[in-house]
Amino acid sequence: MTNVQRLDERAYMASGRRRERTCGEAGFQYEIAFPSWERVEQQMHELDKRVEAEARKQYERREIYPLDWCYQLDATTFISMAAFERILGEEQTHYMLWKNRNADVWTTTYWELPEVVDCLLERSIADGDGNECCFTDAQPIDYARSCTFTPGEMLRRQKAEQDVEHAADDGLNYALYRHPDVDVIECAGYAVFVSTRNPSRTVRVEYRGDTWIMQAFEQCRPWGIPARFDWRDAPLDIPGTEYRQRFQAARSAFDYAIAWVDAEVR
């Protein structure tokens, strides 16, 4: 963290004025120029368009796993670490600072001083509300909102407990990872998994007695017996809570549905 005295020293240097120091008979000069607010604003806006466009593509393709480390652009937008660094190059810290507090004359005064920019970025993240541009995990990513309907909405209509509904939403987010062709629609009050890859296949979702009941269909005809996923039977790879077991059961049920509707059929 840059101390106040050093920050003031660098601010003086960044003001554009020339300052001399001597060491014995030798002297040296240094001067640090800083870019104009207009130049910074234009550069950051151009980069922002590219970053946001790539983030939208990754969301549509459902490329980011909810446990991946990535960059958060705001409360609902995420981009992979590789794409973020590829697009921004050496402008990553500048961009994050601009994203969090925007550029103004005062900020651009320190633009060419890496230690000060780092300090300002740390402050912008620490003083924020959690929605800042920062390096984090992707757990808040919400693929469920891209679906027409969700099992969570079905549960709300059934007036299920809130933790059951939330576990269903979380399970769906994980299950949808890398399945951009899958959607969930409503049919006769049920949530139904579909995929543009296999229009003839569907899976109907029911929830009764704390159990997910998944009925696969082929050409509108039932395929096999319904698969059941009870949260009390959900295996845990690590010790967890009831919520985690409900999440595991929901995720397993939705993984089953997606494996059926999104399978490669020859």
Side-chain angles (χ1 to χ4, degrees):
M1 184 69 70
T2 307
N3 60 41
V4 174
Q5 182 177 0
R6 193 170 186 184
L7 188 63
D8 291 342
E9 171 78 3
R10 290 183 176 275
Y12 184 89
M13 293 164 57
S15 67
R17 287 176 282 182
R18 185 179 298 274
R19 187 175 182 183
E20 294 186 8
R21 289 181 179 177
T22 61
C23 181
E25 295 182 356
F28 60 89
Q29 298 178 332
Y30 52 83
E31 179 178 349
I32 298 180
F34 56 89
S36 67
W37 176 87
E38 292 80 6
R39 176 186 164 192
V40 168
E41 188 77 357
Q42 180 181 3
Q43 181 188 22
M44 292 299 109
H45 270 298
E46 290 174 356
L47 289 172
D48 191 47
K49 290 179 182 178
R50 294 173 58 193
V51 172
E52 291 278 355
E54 181 63 27
R56 284 194 298 272
K57 288 181 182 178
Q58 291 188 344
Y59 179 81
E60 291 168 0
R61 296 168 183 164
R62 297 169 179 165
E63 293 182 0
I64 299 177
Y65 187 62
L67 291 181
D68 281 350
W69 285 96
C70 63
Y71 284 89
Q72 172 182 285
L73 304 183
D74 55 46
T76 60
T77 310
F78 300 83
I79 186 172
S80 69
M81 181 169 56
F84 188 85
E85 295 174 353
R86 171 175 51 80
I87 294 171
L88 294 173
E90 296 181 353
E91 296 298 325
Q92 294 172 50
T93 306
H94 283 154
Y95 173 80
M96 293 171 71
L97 178 60
W98 173 84
K99 194 79 169 172
N100 289 347
R101 62 182 301 153
N102 217 320
D104 54 26
V105 175
W106 184 85
T107 307
T108 55
T109 300
Y110 302 98
W111 211 245
E112 301 301 332
L113 303 173
E115 291 185 13
V116 180
V117 171
D118 287 344
C119 176
L120 293 174
L121 176 59
E122 289 177 11
R123 290 180 183 176
S124 73
I125 295 173
D127 296 341
D129 57 7
N131 297 327
E132 293 73 34
C133 182
C134 62
F135 185 62
T136 184
D137 63 64
Q139 288 195 58
I141 200 165
D142 187 4
Y143 292 133
R145 66 183 170 88
S146 66
C147 294
T148 306
F149 189 68
T150 67
E153 292 179 84
M154 182 185 75
L155 292 175
R156 278 194 289 277
R157 294 182 180 181
Q158 296 177 3
K159 301 188 184 303
E161 295 180 3
Q162 198 170 55
D163 62 337
V164 178
E165 175 192 328
H166 290 169
D169 288 337
D170 287 343
L172 183 60
N173 279 330
Y174 279 77
L176 288 172
Y177 168 62
R178 289 199 179 279
H179 292 283
D181 299 316
V182 172
D183 192 11
V184 184
I185 62 174
E186 179 188 8
C187 182
Y190 297 108
V192 177
F193 280 79
V194 296
S195 173
T196 55
R197 296 181 67 186
N198 298 311
S200 65
R201 289 188 170 191
T202 59
V203 174
R204 185 185 65 202
V205 181
E206 296 182 59
Y207 189 79
R208 297 199 307 266
D210 281 339
T211 301
W212 293 101
I213 304 171
M214 317 297 287
Q215 176 63 65
F217 288 82
E218 175 76 46
Q219 298 287 0
C220 299
R221 295 180 179 179
W223 185 271
I225 62 174
R228 296 174 178 269
F229 300 85
D230 190 318
W231 71 268
R232 288 157 293 204
D233 299 328
L236 284 175
D237 49 354
I238 57 175
T241 62
E242 178 182 318
Y243 180 86
R244 182 166 178 81
Q245 285 183 283
R246 290 186 180 279
F247 157 75
Q248 292 282 30
R251 180 181 177 180
S252 296
F254 305 152
D255 281 342
Y256 168 87
I258 290 174
W260 174 254
V261 302
D262 209 37
E264 290 189 21
V265 179
R266 297 180 181 179

